Amino acid sequence: MTMSNIKVSVHEGDSVELAIGSTVREALEAILSNRQRKQTVAAKINNEVVDFTTVLTADTVLTPIKIDDAEALEILRHSTAHIMALAVRDVFGENIKVAIGPSIENGFYYDFQRDEAFSPEDFEQIETRMEEIVRSALPFTKTEMSSIEAIEKYGAKKEPFKTELIQDLGKDTVSFYHVGGFTDLCKGPHVPDTSFIKAFKLLRVAGAYWRGDENRDILQRIYGTAFFDKKALKKHLNALEEAKKRDHRRLGKELELFTVQDEIGPGLILWQPKGAQLRRLIEDYWKEEHYKHDYELLYTPHIARQALWKTSGHLDFYGENMYSSMAIDDVQYQLKPMNCPFHIGVYNSNKRSYREFPVRWCELGTVYRYERAGALHGLMRVRGFTQDDAHIFVRPDQLEEEIFNILDLNLHILKTFGFDDYDIYLSTRPEKYVGSDSNWEKATKALKLAMEKKGLDFEIDPGEGVFYGPKIDIKIKDQIGRSWQCSTIQVDFNLPERFEMSYVGKDNTEHQPIMIHRALMGSLERFIGVLIEHYAGVFPTWIAPVQARILNITDSQLDYSEKVYQQLRKAGLRIEKDIRNEKLNYKIREAQVAKIPYMLIIGDKEKADGTIAVRFRNGENLPAMSVEDFVDRIREEVVSERGY
Ligand SMILES: [Zn+2]
Ligand SMILES: [Zn+2]
């Protein structure tokens, strides 16, 4: 081997001798077969992702990234963003300014500055041009230049956004990628050429501030997605369509569950009667289940002295999420972002003994947290919400068993709502933490053992625990396979210390309890948002805000309809009546749109027989039955769904 040659090999594959300064592209072209190369998107050198443009200066082992590897889609999608920008400039001219174009979860975007708004017709034009570019199999190439030269070349006038980025990077040299006639400041990596982009779709356009700053230019952000094959794209587009149908904001409006109004304030939920009913049913079930599992219920206030939040550490560690203080009798108070200090207040109101442990207290506690206006989203992200909170105080020897109990109740309640598929994560000690190493070790082990005993698979998130203790997070999967973070179980060594909590042990001396924070649903708002999407608004009978609607055929059954209505209401069923002078088919259609489980149709025959004709929301007709039989049927159904 001469001095100017290097040896490049493919991990567990062939090798080749090349001139120093050769690229990954040259190496892989020499080593891989054509077929293999078409499957290869980029490569890794010692776990660092590089693309085909990377220059090799020493002996190297390359690990190809194939199209079905995890990193490949990200590379593809980011590359597609470049292609979209190239197409936008080809179609609408060079004077359109480009900002940034990263890959994101499930796709990519690119931000443009253009005077006119992008229209659906523009999308078609851009996509057509992208198709042409993809077919041309244009390679991605790379150049490096000094930042000074780059700013001179592209200039604030031509590329103001890129110029600002280069200035902020503050590096001596920057890299540019070229594809077709489009040059973009980028560190890569990209696919070898545009022919890898087999399937893509532009999805929507939205306004986005340059660098997320409301005082800067507002740009147009075009979102899109890309895949390595058409089938995968089609599957994704179908899933998007399905998710759109289930959007809880749309369904919440149609089913009259909740409303958010600017006049009231963004992120503040008004529950309409039907949504309030749904929430009441969930709350009642939650309270009953907790009572059965040996919890006691607490109620605590919405505000507290600022000094309390100082003691708890919230002001120092969580201050930016809290609302400003208010003076009451010259003392500062603040809205609560969490319920924990109040439960501690209840604990400290009495002397505690080891005999009463575990102490299990739960509360549907309404908290207020600051969220940026742009982050607010229906019921999913709000500014005031009710946590299904609980705090459990245990002795160290009780921790494992108690975690087992919590998991048991947690999974039982989730199952009742139809969630029996989930991913569980155990987060361990982060770099900054409080509490002794041995306590952390014991607590982490207790969490692990409890999950193993429960037969649960879990993943470990190393270093992702909260500073005050390890935690378990549960992500549930809904009916269309989407994941939602909801339950969390957290061990806390910090607050018992800060609030000088204690109990008298068997040895008659004072000890510090271990505190567990736990929420099953997370917040009622978010959980109900997830439930609406999970069920697509078609709630099971036990939580359906309205279980049945009475539909009379003509006015001659008005009196009998009223009698049935009163009878069913007295039996505790959730009933509505539609006695308008409308055609029956029209009334049926409306009840179906309202997704009410049962329609009770009353005509002359039913009136004469003293029965009701029962129709299920899917159109299925049940035999005519007495009111008593219908009540029994609903009660049985509720028991089978809820468990009692
Ligand atoms: Zn790029
Ligand atoms: Zn707490």
Side-chain angles (χ1 to χ4, degrees):
M1 193 185 282
T2 63
M3 280 300 285
S4 56
N5 276 7
I6 50 170
K7 186 183 161 202
V8 182
S9 52
V10 161
H11 181 66
E12 290 178 351
D14 293 343
S15 60
V16 69
E17 203 174 302
L18 292 170
I20 193 163
S22 298
T23 59
V24 170
R25 183 186 304 273
E26 285 159 330
L28 291 179
E29 273 174 3
I31 301 170
L32 299 180
S33 71
N34 259 339
R35 209 174 139 260
Q36 286 171 321
R37 215 150 27 86
K38 278 186 185 145
Q39 302 286 311
T40 306
V41 179
K44 274 187 193 173
I45 303 172
N46 295 328
N47 258 331
E48 192 198 340
V49 179
V50 298
D51 65 18
F52 277 42
T53 65
T54 299
V55 175
L56 302 169
T57 53
D59 290 358
T60 309
V61 181
L62 294 169
T63 307
I65 296 175
K66 303 270 177 53
I67 57 173
D68 27 3
D69 289 338
E71 300 98 333
L73 262 183
E74 240 175 84
I75 298 170
L76 175 81
R77 286 169 176 167
H78 168 67
S79 305
T80 313
H82 280 259
I83 301 312
M84 180 169 77
L86 166 60
V88 165
R89 282 223 170 137
D90 282 355
V91 175
F92 301 104
E94 290 296 312
N95 55 341
I96 292 195
K97 306 282 181 271
V98 296
I100 51 164
S103 73
I104 50 172
E105 200 188 352
N106 296 321
F108 63 86
Y109 68 75
Y110 213 115
D111 288 348
F112 300 97
Q113 191 180 50
R114 179 187 183 224
D115 292 338
E116 309 83 59
F118 285 108
S119 68
E121 294 74 46
D122 292 343
F123 271 30
E124 265 172 50
Q125 278 194 68
I126 299 165
E127 283 177 338
T128 306
R129 179 66 193 129
M130 286 171 76
E131 291 286 0
E132 289 166 7
I133 297 163
V134 164
R135 271 199 304 274
S136 315
L138 304 174
F140 278 87
T141 59
K142 180 166 141 186
T143 51
E144 289 190 349
M145 64 180 82
S146 75
S147 291
I148 296 166
E149 192 188 342
I151 290 168
E152 254 169 42
K153 192 160 179 197
Y154 296 104
K157 230 182 181 147
K158 200 168 164 223
E159 300 281 13
F161 303 112
K162 299 291 177 195
T163 302
E164 185 179 324
L165 290 175
I166 296 167
Q167 280 162 342
D168 282 9
L169 276 172
K171 291 198 172 148
D172 293 341
T173 60
V174 287
S175 64
F176 286 87
Y177 274 85
H178 316 272
V179 62
F182 180 58
T183 293
D184 201 352
L185 172 75
C186 191
K187 62 179 180 6
H190 303 96
V191 293
D193 68 65
T194 58
S195 72
F196 279 77
I197 304 166
K198 301 280 189 229
F200 64 86
K201 180 88 194 142
L202 304 191
L203 298 171
R204 64 199 165 90
V205 60
Y209 290 104
W210 168 233
R211 311 193 98 172
D213 183 343
E214 289 163 36
N215 302 312
R216 308 290 305 269
D217 289 318
I218 184 145
L219 308 171
Q220 296 189 65
R221 177 168 294 176
I222 300 182
Y223 288 93
T225 191
F227 289 89
F228 287 105
D229 65 89
K230 294 224 158 41
K231 234 170 123 182
L233 172 66
K234 196 162 177 236
K235 199 173 152 211
H236 178 71
L237 293 178
N238 285 342
L240 283 183
E241 204 45 51
E242 186 57 42
K244 215 168 162 187
K245 273 191 234 157
R246 290 168 179 259
D247 189 323
H248 75 282
R249 292 169 300 177
R250 200 179 61 95
L251 284 170
K253 197 171 178 173
E254 279 174 21
L255 302 177
E256 297 175 20
L257 299 174
F258 69 92
T259 167
V260 184
Q261 292 168 7
D262 234 30
E263 199 185 353
I264 308 286
L268 302 171
I269 306 298
L270 300 178
W271 294 93
Q272 292 167 302
K274 291 201 170 76
Q277 183 67 272
L278 173 65
R279 177 169 164 166
R280 199 265 301 173
L281 291 158
I282 294 169
E283 288 186 358
D284 285 354
Y285 169 73
W286 185 91
K287 286 177 194 166
E288 279 173 57
E289 282 299 317
H290 279 74
Y291 193 74
K292 282 202 265 178
H293 284 81
D294 237 355
Y295 283 72
E296 302 297 335
L297 193 66
L298 299 182
Y299 288 101
T300 64
H302 288 218
I303 60 170
R305 285 176 182 243
Q306 196 171 49
L308 180 83
W309 305 114
K310 189 87 196 150
T311 307
S312 69
H314 285 102
L315 224 43
D316 288 334
F317 295 103
Y318 205 69
E320 72 270 25
N321 298 89
M322 293 175 70
Y323 291 102
S324 4
S325 59
M326 60 190 112
I328 301 173
D329 294 339
D330 291 334
V331 176
Q332 293 300 314
Y333 281 72
Q334 253 175 301
L335 272 171
K336 67 170 164 182
M338 293 187 196
N339 305 298
C340 334
F342 293 102
H343 291 199
I344 292 170
V346 177
Y347 182 98
N348 282 345
S349 67
N350 256 327
K351 215 165 170 54
R352 304 288 167 187
S353 150
Y354 74 95
R355 291 175 202 276
E356 51 186 306
F357 278 19
V359 170
R360 303 185 185 95
W361 290 335
C362 63
E363 178 183 9
L364 295 169
T366 303
V367 298
Y368 298 89
R369 295 181 189 173
Y370 174 71
E371 293 278 359
R372 282 187 306 109
L376 299 173
H377 181 82
L379 292 174
M380 301 300 190
R381 206 174 266 256
V382 293
R383 285 178 170 171
F385 57 93
T386 301
Q387 283 187 301
D388 69 314
D389 212 354
H391 294 98
I392 299 141
F393 304 97
V394 293
R395 303 188 307 257
D397 64 290
Q398 293 172 315
L399 185 59
E400 185 195 325
E401 195 187 340
E402 193 52 25
I403 298 292
F404 182 86
N405 292 338
I406 294 169
L407 284 168
D408 210 41
L409 174 63
N410 198 335
L411 300 183
H412 168 69
I413 287 181
L414 290 178
K415 199 171 165 38
T416 309
F417 291 99
F419 300 112
D420 44 19
D421 194 3
Y422 23 70
D423 293 317
I424 306 182
Y425 301 89
L426 171 63
S427 303
T428 59
R429 197 179 68 201
E431 267 175 44
K432 277 190 186 161
Y433 62 96
V434 298
S436 71
D437 287 6
S438 87
N439 273 346
W440 270 87
E441 237 165 73
K442 277 186 224 155
T444 309
K445 199 173 157 213
L447 296 182
K448 249 189 226 173
L449 286 173
M451 285 194 282
E452 277 162 11
K453 206 166 133 202
K454 190 95 186 83
L456 297 171
D457 287 330
F458 58 91
E459 259 179 61
I460 295 191
D461 253 350
E464 287 301 308
V466 204
F467 74 93
Y468 51 73
K471 63 167 181 167
I472 295 172
D473 287 321
I474 302 178
K475 283 187 181 173
I476 52 176
K477 292 219 186 91
D478 71 9
Q479 274 183 5
I480 56 170
R482 293 173 301 173
S483 268
W484 304 92
Q485 160 72 42
C486 67
S487 315
T488 183
I489 304 167
Q490 309 185 345
V491 178
D492 187 347
F493 305 119
N494 180 47
L495 288 180
E497 176 83 44
R498 281 174 171 265
F499 283 96
E500 297 172 353
M501 299 172 73
S502 70
Y503 66 92
V504 177
K506 222 178 196 157
D507 56 4
N508 237 342
T509 65
E510 303 254 311
H511 299 266
Q512 200 172 78
I514 296 179
M515 181 172 186
I516 304 167
H517 308 256
R518 183 237 64 178
L520 303 178
M521 302 173 182
S523 85
L524 278 163
E525 282 73 8
R526 190 161 183 281
F527 190 72
I528 291 173
V530 173
L531 275 187
I532 295 169
E533 302 209 356
H534 174 58
Y535 289 122
V538 185
F539 299 112
T541 305
W542 80 278
I543 49 169
V546 178
Q547 294 170 313
R549 186 184 280 181
I550 293 169
L551 317 175
N552 63 329
I553 297 177
T554 66
D555 281 353
S556 67
Q557 304 98 33
L558 274 180
D559 49 347
Y560 180 63
S561 298
E562 182 61 26
K563 199 180 131 202
V564 171
Y565 174 76
Q566 293 299 345
Q567 219 177 325
L568 290 170
R569 278 233 155 191
K570 286 204 179 84
L573 266 54
R574 300 187 292 280
I575 303 296
E576 271 182 2
K577 54 187 172 181
D578 182 353
I579 51 170
R580 291 173 302 168
N581 194 4
E582 295 284 358
K583 289 239 160 40
L584 181 63
N585 274 343
Y586 179 76
K587 292 187 185 181
I588 289 175
R589 176 78 199 120
E590 284 207 338
Q592 275 170 337
V593 169
K595 305 185 196 299
I596 295 168
Y598 292 96
M599 287 162 254
L600 311 179
I601 297 161
I602 294 175
D604 284 335
K605 187 173 181 332
E606 286 74 26
K607 183 180 169 180
D609 297 351
T611 59
I612 44 180
V614 181
R615 187 185 164 99
F616 198 58
R617 60 186 154 200
N618 67 8
E620 185 193 334
N621 288 306
L622 304 175
M625 58 180 85
S626 69
V627 171
E628 292 76 16
D629 283 351
F630 181 68
V631 170
D632 287 346
R633 185 194 160 94
I634 295 293
R635 283 185 180 154
E636 273 165 35
E637 198 172 325
V638 166
V639 168
S640 82
E641 287 169 351
R642 186 179 55 179
Y644 56 89

